[in-house]
Every structure is written in structure tokens, then in C-alpha cells.
Amino acid sequence: MSVSETPAPRRAERWAARASLFAATLAVLLPLVHGGVEGVLLLAAAVAGLALTAAALWWALTRRGPARWAAALLAIATPAAVIVLFAVTLWWALVLSLALWAAAVWAGRYALRSTRTRTTHQREHRTRPPLRPFILMNPSSGGGKVARFGLREKAERLGARVVLLDPEQHQDVTALARAAVADGADLLGVAGGDGTQALVAAVAAAHGLPFLVIAAGTRNHFAMDLGLDRADPAACLDALTNGVELRVDLGFAGGHAFVNNASFGAYAAVVQSPAYRDDKIGTILELLPELLTRQRGPRLTAHADDTTLAAPQAVLVSNNPYRTGDPAGLGRRERLDSGRLGVLGITLDSAAEAAALLLSPQPDGLAVLTARDVVIDADRAEIEVGLDGEALVLPTPVHCRIEHAALRVRVPKKRPRVSAAPPPLDWHRLRELAATVGRTAVVRHPRRPQVTGERREP
């Protein structure tokens, strides 16, 4: 994915920045002016209520029995009480304030379009269609999507050899993929979850073969970040006849490939439980108190290039970084070819730190990094790892690395693609843009120095 130069802001965008700041100011002042001292107290109550809600959620996750239920009730009752208090006291001002906030956010997003470094779609490589494609399909994946969308029948009509996995017995997916390569397959594909896709992707990458992703799993995160149509898994098979190739990165943790992420700590320990598959929520609630309070589980240390995270409760290492600045885009990756691992580390030891995680724009308990190599060490010889949702136990230290452009992914030429991330709503940038008259606003991108010039207004 290539990067182009940041365009200069237009007059409409500068005025949109001014409108955004004006609307945001009115949204804050309206309840205060209308309510007077009462409005100030209500605003303070809202901030306190938000902090109390975060603390109550922490207590609910780290306690059991009556204390947990009391904390859960507090987490629900506190925001409800704040909303009712505002509605009774300042109902019309509150409604108008929320509308002004919505307008401020929309205008701010529009204004900051000029500060977003525009990117082009990842380069597509035209290659001839495969002659002997081989596809593994899990009939139980995604609630039976293989049968519901007629994936086997369509694949076979397009000339693919299909092998259905038996849900009643364990089968070595890696061995099946290697046997297909030995038998002359020139493409490997998977209709199943991300964990199964990672196993076959590793074989495809090792033999330099194209890999086909069919979005037949439950969540299909890898398919989403490839820009595939998750609502219609059968459309993924169009790549067999009318497709192009993308060169994407592949992550490895202790020699095991992952297409999405490798998790360490609390979540990794939870997925190890035999009860997790049948009762996810119950298992999480049962195990989290001891994991979050460090009564159970390993004490981790994460080394990401030159940065060290000491004693985090959880670390997520991803194949390319996830979006973090846009709530609507959390859990998504804009690109899969940066050659960098994403690293998210969480360290929380109290209700106050949990509240800070929710209230602070840059909380101390959350580390967001990128690195080429990550080493996860612990105070024990082996640790649990969640690899694309699959449970593993690996010897420490676990070395995570990324192989740039190691995987040739064949995708349909016509597909939804990945939507561009909106620019982060940065009020400092908006003020700079709003103050600009007849010149280009200075745009500061973290870790990416930009050269800006001046231009005359036409």
C-alpha cells in the first residue's frame, strides 16, 4: 500500500473546522449557562459517574459472589442515574447539546480530511488462474456456512478439489495441506475459521503457493481486513477464475503462524479452559478474578524492539497494527503489508487505573506499540498462548516475528475492499486549521515528519 503526499486544506475544510469548534463550545456552554451552578455540578456528577462506572466494572470482573453482583448493579445504575438526572433537570438543553456534539464531530471529521495521509489500495498482481486448486472446508464452521452457501458445489464446478473436515474427529490440517502440495496442488484454500486458515497459510507460504480465503468462519477477521465479502462467502470463490493476488505479511509466534494475532496473559489462559468452548461467558467470569489480580497465571514481560512492558496482565501481538484512534474501527487493520507487528499491552491493578483507562486519552495502563520483533518472557517454563483463537502452550521465551509479504493471497478482482479510516478527531489540529487564513495549515503526524509549504489563496 503506497502513501501519497498530504493535500493542502481547502477553504471549505477551514470553515468546517471553525464550525466544529463553535458547535463543540456551544455544546459545553449550553448546559452550564442554562443550569448555572446546577449545570456545573451536573457536569461534575457526569465525570464522577463515568469514573465510578469504570471502577464498578473492574470490581465486577475481579470479585465473585454477592460483591460481583453488587458491583455489576452499580455499573448499570450509575450511568442510568446520571442520564435521568440530566433529563429531569436539563432535558431540552441536554438534547440540544448532544445534537451540537454530533454536528461538531461531523464537521471536525470533514475538516480533518486534509490532514489524513491518503493511501492507495494495496498493489494487485495479475496471475493466471490455478489449474489444480485444493480447498479444505469445515462444515461446522460459522454455524454451517459451507452447506448454507453451497460452497463445496460451487468450488467443484470451478475445478477445485474439496476435502471436508470431519467435525467428529481431529484431523491434521497441516498434513492434509502438505499432502495436497505433494499431489500437485497449485493453490491452497480454506473455508473455515482463522485458526484453520493460519495453519494452511503457513504451508502455502512455505511452498510459495497462492492462498485462498473463504469467509466461512464465525468472525472472519482476516477476510474482513482483506476486503472480502463476509456476507457472501461464495463470492470469495470467484477468485479462482477472476482473481488477483495480494502480497501480505504473516506473523509467527514460536514458529507457529498466525494471520490475525497471538494473545498472552489473561485471555490466553481463559481459552485454555476445557469449559470455554461450551460456556464462554461463564468461564471468563470464573477465571478473570484470579487472573486480573495476579493470583493466577504467569508474570509476563514483553520486549518490543527497544521497549519493555513489565508485568502486563495481557499482551496482544498482531500481524500488522490494529486501528486504535477510531472507536468504529477497533479490531480492524487498514493494511496487511507494513512489515510491522502491532503490540497492545494492558496493565491494571486497581479500580482507579480502570477508571483512567476509560477517562484518559492516553492512559498509563494501555501500551500501543509497533515492532518488528517481540519477545514474551515469563516466570515459568511454559505459557498459554491464544493463536488466532486457538489454545496452545509454548516454551518461554516466545519469539514473535513477522515475515513481510510472505503470503500470496488470491482474492476476487471485484470485492468490497477495506474502507479508509477516518482521521482522528484532534482538537489541537482543528484549532490550527481554523486559525489558518490564506496559508496551508501545519499538519503534524506523529512519527512521520511532514514538509509543508505556503500557498496563496486564489
Side-chain angles (χ1 to χ4, degrees), residues 304-305 307 320-321 340-343 368-374 447:
D305 287 347
T307 303
N320 284 261
R340 304 284 292 180
L341 295 167
V343 183
V368 182
L369 308 167
T370 64
R372 291 193 180 277
D373 292 277
V374 178
R447 302 188 186 90

Side-chain angles (χ1 to χ4, degrees), residues 192-202 205 211 213 220-223 225-226 248-253 256-262 317-320 322 333 335-336 341 387-389 402 407 409:
D194 290 331
T196 306
Q197 289 174 0
L199 293 173
V200 180
F211 178 61
V213 175
N220 301 299
H221 287 302
F222 191 45
D225 294 332
L226 286 169
V248 306
D249 303 337
L250 192 60
F252 289 86
H256 299 266
F258 61 89
V259 294
N260 291 327
N261 57 65
V317 180
S318 59
N319 174 19
N320 284 261
Y322 287 110
R333 294 164 290 180
R335 54 186 300 182
L336 293 168
L341 295 167
L387 207 67
D388 284 336
I402 191 166
L407 188 61
V409 181

